[in-house]
Amino acid sequence: APGQALVVDFESDIFVGSLLLRIRNAQGTTPKPYDDSSGYFTGMNRRYQTVVRGMFKKEGVAMTDCVTGQVLSRKCGKLPPKMLLRAAVKIISYFAPQLKVKLDADKPCCISPLGSTP
């Protein structure tokens, strides 16, 4: 419905599609004030929803080459001690064994194969 989600159409060299983004507690995106007791997030313990829909322009793109996650354009600010970060990544990797995490890089990232994302 209009005003209940942000939809963006996009196109790259190999993919054309649209992205739907819902953010819990977002203010100013709908005509009415945000109400957590009704709508998409009612009864859910989620903070956001992202849905990508579209198609590849080229044939033969293997799902094993498709990934999801975040790549940041600049370094993270002050991070916790490396020992704590390694422990946290190890715990998360138990649930997502193919997760690749680089937080202290020039372009920090958390990337996982698309087919293995819960």
Side-chain angles (χ1 to χ4, degrees):
Q4 292 187 357
L6 175 63
V7 178
V8 178
D9 295 322
F10 66 94
E11 186 170 350
S12 74
D13 292 342
I14 62 169
F15 191 84
V16 61
S18 49
L19 169 116
L20 174 132
L21 177 63
R22 291 182 172 123
I23 303 172
R24 184 177 226 146
N25 296 320
Q27 299 296 332
T29 57
T30 61
K32 298 179 183 175
Y34 181 82
D35 180 6
D36 216 18
S37 65
S38 66
Y40 174 78
F41 292 105
T42 303
M44 293 189 199
N45 189 20
R46 295 181 181 160
R47 295 216 160 91
Y48 67 94
Q49 179 201 30
T50 306
V51 178
V52 176
R53 179 181 75 170
M55 62 185 200
F56 290 100
K57 294 171 159 183
K58 300 177 182 179
E59 289 189 28
V61 176
M63 283 305 294
T64 54
D65 294 335
C66 298
V67 295
T68 185
Q70 286 108 18
V71 178
L72 306 178
S73 60
R74 60 188 167 130
K75 288 186 173 187
C76 292
K78 187 174 180 181
L79 294 170
K82 285 189 178 193
M83 184 176 77
L84 185 60
L85 284 176
R86 274 186 291 232
V89 169
K90 191 171 186 172
I91 292 168
I92 294 168
S93 294
Y94 176 79
F95 299 102
Q98 296 179 10
L99 178 70
K100 304 277 189 261
V101 178
K102 294 179 183 174
L103 296 176
D104 56 353
D106 287 337
K107 291 190 173 188
C109 65
C110 295
I111 301 292
S112 182
L114 186 58
S116 70
T117 303

